[in-house]
Amino acid sequence: MTDSQLIREIKDGNVQLYNELMRRYERKILAFIFHMLKSTAMEGIAEDLCNETFYKAYRSLHSFREIEASFSTWLYTIARNTVLSELRKNKSVQVSLEQSGLTPHASLDAMPEQTMLRNEKVSMVREAINSLPEKQRSALILREYDQMDYQEIANILGQTVSSVKSLLFRARASVKLHLDPYISEPIFEESKG
């Protein structure tokens, strides 16, 4: 059953099918919320905000119109707004990606040095992403981690497609600039005698 068919059935009174919609999106929404909260030391409430997102979506499902957006885009928008609302309550907190828990795991035969270097690189990338302004960071997470297209990101962020492309360009340029000191290798001259 497609999302559209499920939603029609739910609107017609078969509310048990909402569990199926939740099952389809729960991990993605939870990961997205976790990304937004990680460096705020508030990742512990990610599951609560995920549940709140699905509750808000359920309460507002009657107003959802497929013509305006896909269900996933609508749901991500609710998730983002829920997180931003929570962060506004804690004004001193900044939205961030810091250590999302998606660290690649090395195979058993990998050398410990390689594993350590890989983890260090992942950590540096996350730090670079954390330093981005909120809209750039959200756009980058949605594009690179959630593999969304520009139109979906534009709908979630309330931006135009060209604005999203611009946000992504600036975000990638900032990340590259942040990582340049670590990427460029110094050239050592051979010492004589």
Side-chain angles (χ1 to χ4, degrees):
M1 219 180 223
T2 66
D3 289 351
S4 300
Q5 292 168 326
L6 279 172
I7 291 166
R8 269 187 241 111
E9 289 285 326
I10 294 166
K11 285 181 176 182
D12 288 341
N14 193 354
V15 293
Q16 297 86 348
L17 291 177
Y18 192 68
N19 287 331
E20 173 62 20
L21 272 179
M22 284 180 62
R23 187 191 60 73
R24 290 181 184 183
Y25 291 101
E26 189 171 27
R27 288 181 65 201
K28 289 181 180 182
I29 294 297
L30 182 59
F32 175 69
I33 290 171
F34 191 83
H35 282 300
M36 290 186 74
L37 293 174
K38 185 60 178 164
S39 76
T40 64
M42 293 175 59
E43 65 273 7
I45 66 167
E47 200 168 313
D48 291 340
L49 294 181
C50 183
N51 290 334
E52 186 177 337
T53 296
F54 281 104
Y55 176 70
K56 287 178 179 178
Y58 178 74
R59 275 193 359 230
S60 303
L61 197 59
H62 66 279
S63 66
F64 170 69
R65 291 188 295 266
E66 286 182 81
I67 300 165
E68 296 172 11
S70 70
F71 179 74
S72 64
T73 300
W74 184 70
L75 191 58
Y76 272 95
T77 302
I78 293 171
R80 179 176 179 270
N81 290 339
T82 300
V83 170
L84 293 177
S85 175
E86 185 65 31
L87 291 173
R88 272 187 228 102
K89 291 176 189 173
N90 301 297
K91 290 183 180 184
S92 63
V93 179
Q94 205 180 41
V95 181
S96 178
L97 173 66
E98 188 73 39
Q99 298 181 356
S100 68
L102 298 176
T103 306
H105 297 286
S107 63
L108 295 174
D109 57 312
M111 302 293 285
E113 297 86 12
Q114 292 170 334
T115 303
M116 191 170 80
L117 287 173
R118 177 186 294 162
N119 289 341
E120 188 175 331
K121 287 177 187 177
V122 167
S123 181
M124 283 189 270
V125 169
R126 287 188 180 132
E127 182 182 316
I129 293 172
N130 282 338
S131 70
L132 296 172
E134 187 272 325
K135 281 193 179 180
Q136 288 180 23
R137 185 173 41 251
S138 292
L140 195 62
I141 290 168
L142 291 169
R143 180 70 179 170
E144 302 302 331
Y145 286 86
D146 294 326
Q147 303 294 305
M148 289 190 176
D149 64 33
Y150 296 121
Q151 186 61 56
E152 287 178 300
I153 297 168
N155 292 340
I156 291 169
L157 298 180
Q159 302 285 319
T160 63
V161 170
S162 60
S163 294
V164 167
K165 289 179 180 179
S166 178
L167 285 170
L168 287 168
F169 176 80
R170 290 193 312 266
R172 289 175 180 136
S174 293
V175 168
K176 182 183 181 308
L177 185 64
H178 188 88
L179 296 176
D180 263 348
Y182 305 105
I183 295 173
S184 56
E185 304 240 346
I187 300 173
F188 295 103
E189 293 182 23
E190 291 183 30
S191 58
K192 296 180 183 176

